[in-house]
């Protein structure tokens, strides 16, 4: 009979991972709320203040695949501990920053630390949890991310109401120290290898340049930067990407896991993930405009109306993980996208005049339930479909797919708002989200036949 429990030491190791996961997610949502205060403190414009968030996310995006590759080659545990140390130290530097340049450098360092952790989070989870209950571990990760996302603005508001913005960063220090101590004692080492290939520094540099140029130019497009400059940067990024991808072909352990894309189950899961996060971010960014401008709710009510979504995702993720231990994860994920599509459609065709908070809240919760039903099974398939020795690269690509989807979603919203009349722009965005969610559902359902049996244990 299979043991569905973890030992006390493994629970403690999981806690160390989750502590840092919460810290890295919160450091986006907390700082978002504090940007106006920090802009005033550093005597900078609002558009300049956005760089305090952007540089953190850009550093993660540029480094996550090289660091995932390093984790596969050397040590997931070492990556994690290095990341925690860098993140904790840079959090203290952020709090001590007296100028805009120093806060930018400190935030970039935070992004490096966060990338170290995110690059091996999935790999360490796979090493800790037995295969037959791995879904529960991934569900806990998804649940913690949902909690941190939902609670971030509230925590930031509470901190700023009683003290200064510096404490948004200082609160990371004791938790970072605790996670480092626990992780150093209890996190597992990589499986033994007969030989260790050398790290591909050329590919690492190419990866940094490609993702840096493309994501920077996309962000600049969204902020209405210089079109010619941004277009040139995008073209340069795509040109270098061509040589980067060609270099990865034929390598035993490529940094960009092009070899894993030959696994149809994995490539479908990545494509499904990108489409789903585009659909999620398009809706999450555009819906506040619907509630505030079209429905006439206040800023506070609008913020509260956004919370049923992540809360529902948080509640359903563990249930979805247990469900796919005995049922087909491809079909479950497709059903989740179906529920999500229904929730979006109900939101899209909801009468806006005289709509109540409850009418919106249950529709938002339905969207969250659908996304929770989808996300955990999809992540499970993505991880289990890859060899154990490539879990770092697979996990890094999973995070990259999420970042790509979120960035493309934000860019699409910006483009729609720029070219579509304001009275219908949100509706157009919701139609885009519906289309992308439908594609994600179809791709997910197409994996059903590749999953042998009904549960994750049938995946080869």
């Amino acid at each position: 009979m299979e043991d569905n429990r973890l030992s006390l030491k493994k629970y403690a190791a999981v806690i160390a991972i989750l502590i840092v996961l919460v810290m890295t997610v919160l450091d986006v949502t907390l700082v978002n709320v504090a940007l106006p205060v920090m802009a005033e403190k550093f005597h900078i414009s609002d558009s300049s203040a956005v760089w305090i968030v952007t540089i953190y996310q850009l550093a993660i995006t540029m480094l996550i695949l090289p660091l995932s590759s390093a984790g596969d080659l050397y040590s997931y545990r070492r990556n994690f501990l290095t990341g925690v140390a860098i993140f904790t130290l840079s959090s203290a530097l952020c709090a001590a920053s007296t100028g805009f340049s120093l806060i930018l450098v400190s935030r970039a360092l935070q992004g490096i630390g966060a990338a170290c952790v995110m690059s091996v989070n999935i790999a360490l989870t796979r090493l800790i949890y037995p295969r037959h209950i791995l879904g529960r571990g991934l569900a806990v990760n998804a649940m913690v991310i949902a909690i941190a996302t939902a609670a971030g603005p509230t925590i930031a508001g509470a901190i700023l109401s009683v003290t200064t913005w510096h404490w948004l960063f200082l609160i990371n220090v004791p938790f970072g120290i605790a996670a480092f101590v626990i992780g150093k004692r209890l996190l597992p080492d990589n499986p033994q290898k007969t030989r260790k290939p050398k790290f591909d520094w050329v590919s690492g540099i190419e990866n940094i340049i490609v993702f840096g140029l493309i994501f920077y130019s996309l962000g600049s497009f969204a902020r209405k930067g210089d079109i010619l400059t941004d277009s040139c940067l995008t073209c340069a990024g795509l040109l270098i990407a061509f040589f980067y991808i060609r270099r990865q072909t034929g390598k035993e352990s490529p940094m960009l896991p092009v070899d894993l894309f030959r696994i149809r189950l994995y490539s479908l899961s990545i494509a499904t993930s990108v489409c789903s996060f585009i659909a999620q971010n398009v809706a999450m960014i555009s819906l506040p405009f619907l509630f505030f401008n079209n429905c006439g709710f206040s800023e506070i009510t609008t913020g509260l109306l956004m919370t049923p979504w992540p809360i529902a995702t948080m509640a359903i993720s563990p249930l979805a993980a247990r469900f796919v231990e005995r049922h087909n994860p491809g079909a479950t994920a497709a059903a989740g996208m179906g529920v999500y599509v229904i929730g979006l459609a109900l939101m899209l065709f909801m009468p806006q005049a005289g709509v109540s908070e409850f009418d919106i809240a249950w529709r938002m919760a339905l969207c969250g339930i659908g996304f929770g039903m989808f996300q955990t099974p999809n992540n499970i398939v993505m991880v289990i479909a890859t060899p154990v020795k490539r879990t770092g690269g697979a996990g890094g690509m999973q995070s990259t797919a999420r970042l790509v989807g979120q960035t493309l979603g934000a860019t699409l919203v910006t483009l729609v708002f720029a070219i579509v009349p304001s009275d219908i722009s949100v509706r157009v965005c919701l139609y885009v989200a519906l289309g992308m969610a439908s594609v994600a559902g179809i791709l997910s359902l197409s994996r059903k036949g590749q999953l042998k049996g009904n549960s994750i244990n049938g995946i080869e």
Side-chain angles (χ1 to χ4, degrees):
M1 183 176 179
E2 291 175 316
D3 186 2
N4 290 339
R5 297 172 296 174
L6 293 181
S7 67
L8 187 60
K9 287 185 176 181
K10 287 188 174 183
Y11 268 121
V14 168
I15 289 172
I17 295 172
L18 296 180
I19 287 173
V20 185
L21 191 59
V22 169
M23 288 161 55
T24 55
V25 172
L26 278 179
D27 254 59
V28 176
T29 53
L30 292 181
V31 177
N32 277 340
V33 175
L35 284 181
V37 177
M38 298 175 77
E40 183 179 354
K41 165 68 178 178
F42 295 122
H43 308 291
I44 55 176
S45 66
D46 291 346
S47 59
S48 296
V50 173
W51 271 103
I52 298 174
V53 173
T54 302
I55 198 165
Y56 176 77
Q57 295 175 315
L58 194 60
I60 295 172
T61 307
M62 292 163 64
L63 291 171
I64 198 163
L65 285 179
L67 289 170
S68 297
S69 177
D72 278 335
L73 295 176
Y74 305 115
S75 172
Y76 304 135
R77 179 175 175 272
R78 190 186 308 160
N79 261 33
F80 180 87
L81 294 175
T82 301
V84 174
I86 293 172
F87 190 88
T88 304
L89 177 62
S90 57
S91 294
L93 290 175
C94 286
S97 297
T98 55
F100 182 53
S101 298
L102 185 54
I103 191 73
L104 284 184
V105 172
S106 302
R107 284 290 280 171
L109 285 173
Q110 265 196 319
I112 294 171
C116 286
V117 172
M118 291 182 182
S119 67
V120 296
N121 167 55
I122 299 298
L124 285 171
T125 300
R126 186 174 186 177
L127 291 181
I128 292 171
Y129 281 84
R131 179 187 177 98
H132 61 282
I133 59 169
L134 174 62
R136 300 183 194 182
L138 298 177
V140 170
N141 286 5
M143 182 176 66
V144 165
I145 291 172
I147 292 172
T149 302
T154 303
I155 294 173
I159 291 173
L160 293 174
S161 67
V162 297
T163 186
T164 63
W165 61 268
H166 305 81
W167 284 94
L168 298 175
F169 301 105
L170 284 174
I171 60 172
N172 290 329
V173 176
F175 289 108
I177 293 172
F180 184 89
V181 172
I182 297 170
K184 187 173 178 61
R185 288 174 60 89
L186 300 178
L187 285 175
D189 288 315
N190 289 31
Q192 292 295 319
K193 296 181 179 180
T194 54
R195 64 187 185 87
K196 294 182 178 180
K198 292 183 179 180
F199 183 78
D200 188 349
W201 287 100
V202 174
S203 294
I205 293 170
E206 287 178 335
N207 182 91
I208 290 170
I209 294 173
V210 167
F211 281 95
L213 288 176
I214 292 176
F215 275 73
Y216 173 82
S217 59
L218 284 176
S220 185
F221 272 124
R223 291 188 296 272
K224 298 182 179 179
D226 183 77
I227 294 178
L228 179 60
T229 301
D230 294 337
S231 299
C232 290
L233 290 176
T234 303
C235 291
L238 293 173
L239 180 63
I240 298 171
F242 170 78
F243 293 104
Y244 173 47
I245 294 171
R246 191 170 70 172
R247 180 179 176 82
Q248 304 308 297
T249 305
K251 285 185 173 291
E252 181 182 349
S253 299
M255 187 168 294
L256 182 70
V258 291
D259 59 326
L260 296 182
F261 286 114
R262 299 190 188 102
I263 305 172
R264 189 166 182 269
L265 193 59
Y266 179 78
S267 58
L268 281 172
S269 299
I270 288 290
T272 303
S273 184
V274 171
C275 292
S276 70
F277 279 106
I278 292 175
Q280 184 199 44
N281 224 33
V282 168
M284 290 291 277
I285 293 173
S286 60
L287 281 172
F289 292 92
L290 175 70
F291 302 155
F292 184 73
N293 294 331
N294 298 39
C295 300
F297 291 110
S298 66
E299 296 94 330
I300 295 175
T301 303
T302 295
L304 291 173
L305 288 173
M306 297 300 295
T307 57
W309 184 321
I311 289 174
T313 299
M314 171 192 72
I316 205 70
S317 291
L319 301 177
R322 287 178 176 269
F323 184 80
V324 296
E325 287 171 11
R326 298 184 178 277
H327 299 85
N328 191 293
T332 305
M337 268 293 108
V339 173
Y340 178 67
V341 165
I342 292 170
L344 278 181
L346 290 170
M347 191 72 68
L348 177 60
F349 298 110
M350 172 185 67
Q352 296 172 13
V355 65
S356 69
E357 291 90 338
F358 177 76
D359 290 334
I360 293 174
W362 72 261
R363 287 172 169 84
M364 292 292 285
L366 191 62
C367 290
I369 289 170
F371 205 82
M373 286 174 61
F374 162 81
Q375 187 178 19
T376 300
N378 191 65
N379 289 348
I380 290 169
V381 176
M382 209 182 304
V383 173
I384 297 296
T386 59
V388 173
K389 66 178 182 179
R390 299 298 311 285
T391 303
M397 195 62 214
Q398 179 178 318
S399 298
T400 301
R402 172 174 54 83
L403 290 167
V404 168
Q406 290 173 337
T407 301
L408 291 176
T411 304
L412 282 172
V413 172
T414 304
L415 291 174
V416 170
F417 279 20
I419 63 178
V420 175
S422 58
D423 58 330
I424 61 169
S425 57
V426 174
R427 293 181 64 84
V428 171
C429 285
L430 292 181
Y431 275 117
V432 171
L434 273 173
M436 296 309 301
S438 299
V439 172
I442 293 168
L443 289 174
S444 186
L445 191 60
S446 69
R447 300 175 297 181
K448 180 181 177 182
Q450 296 180 263
L451 302 173
K452 296 182 179 180
N454 290 322
S455 70
I456 61 174
N457 296 313
I459 302 174
E460 293 184 343

